[in-house]
């Protein structure tokens, strides 16, 4: 079945990026000249998504304002003849049909997804984490949707991680692998490196069947006292097959300070109008640091 709806959870507290996230959600932090969440919405639209629900928490206004029209600003740009940026701004508000729901308490990713249940109804849907940016030739979500359209199963996006990083992620226990698609035997949320069944971690992209909702509804709180999406997937896994697709592309966790810096530098390098300037700066910086 073709996926038309997506959930973007953006209600986390962003404690790893305080104080920047004290008064604004991390999903609104700019990467070059766009807030992170705009890249996510663009990826969803490029994958074929038509309706998006953003799960917001405190400080939600800036997200809503960003995807809404700003009539006064548009008028001023029109009067000043700034046609290019005007068209870009109008494009943002026409990207997709965007809806909002408030997660009253940040009780975890699973809880955020559950709060979108009414909007999703009884059809498969996508989840894109608001703080996980992907830069890839084929949109990351599309890579998952292609597998779901063939198999009809829940699909998660994965990438290999270094041993020191396994305890930060949901880690898969693969049963079989065909090309870049794994069939899962199990998943574990944030295991220690000794207990990890692999070094393959779930990144922030999922395609889920609506059967996940009753599982989430009756799930007990897991790691960190939160309702974990990984725990719900684990239960699903025992009942029906789940697949993981090895994502092609670069992934940036912008909720992490270094991940955010990397995203800014590499996204700027991917823009032809900025590439030369950034490379020259990095070269000069390298030279300066070497003589210190
Ligand atoms: P994280 O695991 O990065 O948690 O959430 P966090 O609370 O936002 O950040 P830190 O760890 O305190 O720095 C992954 C994604 O799930 C959303 C976040 O907004 C982020 O996009 N999320 C998380 C929710 O929407 N609700 C929650 O209760 C938790």
């Amino acid at each position: 079945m073709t996926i038309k709806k997506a959930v973007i959870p953006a209600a986390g507290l962003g404690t790893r990026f305080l104080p920047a996230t004290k008064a604004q959600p991390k999903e609104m932090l700019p990467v070059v000249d766009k807030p992170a969440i705009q890249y996510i919405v663009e990826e969803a639209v490029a994958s074929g998504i038509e309706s998006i629900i953003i799960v917001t928490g405190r400080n939600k206004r800036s997200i809503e304002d960003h995807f809404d029209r700003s009539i006064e600003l548009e008028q001023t740009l029109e009067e000043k003849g700034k046609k290019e940026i005007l068209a870009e701004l109008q494009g943002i508000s026409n990207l997709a049909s965007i809806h909002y729901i408030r997660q009253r308490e940040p009780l975890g990713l699973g809880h955020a997804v559950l709060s979108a249940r009414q909007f999703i109804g009884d059809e498969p849907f996508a989840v894109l984490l608001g703080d996980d940016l992907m830069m890839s030739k084929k949109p990351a979500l599309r890579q998952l949707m292609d597998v779901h359209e063939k198999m009809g199963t829940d699909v998660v996006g994965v990438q290999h991680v270094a041993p020191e990083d396994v305890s930060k992620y949901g880690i898969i226990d693969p049963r079989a692998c065909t090309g870049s698609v794994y069939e899962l035997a199990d998943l574990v949320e944030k295991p220690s490196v000794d207990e990890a069944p692999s070094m393959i971690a779930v990144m922030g992209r999922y395609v889920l069947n609506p059967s996940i909702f009753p599982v989430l509804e009756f799930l007990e709180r897991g790691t960190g006292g939160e309702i974990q999406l990984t725990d719900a997937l684990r239960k699903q896994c025992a009942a029906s097959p789940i697949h993981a697709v090895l994502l092609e592309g670069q992934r940036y966790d912008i909720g992490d300070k270094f991940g955010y810096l990397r995203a800014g530098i590499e996204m700027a390098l991917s823009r032809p109008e900025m590439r030369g300037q950034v490379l020259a700066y990095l070269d000069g910086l390298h030279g300066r640091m070497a003589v210190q």
Side-chain angles (χ1 to χ4, degrees), residues 7-26:
V7 182
I8 302 182
L13 293 177
T15 52
R16 285 171 298 153
F17 218 139
L18 282 167
T21 48
K22 185 174 173 226
Q24 65 171 338
K26 62 181 161 183

Side-chain angles (χ1 to χ4, degrees), residues 9-16 26-27 103 106-109 112 129-131 255:
L13 293 177
T15 52
R16 285 171 298 153
K26 62 181 161 183
E27 291 79 6
Q103 186 188 12
L107 291 180
L109 177 58
L129 298 198
D131 59 352

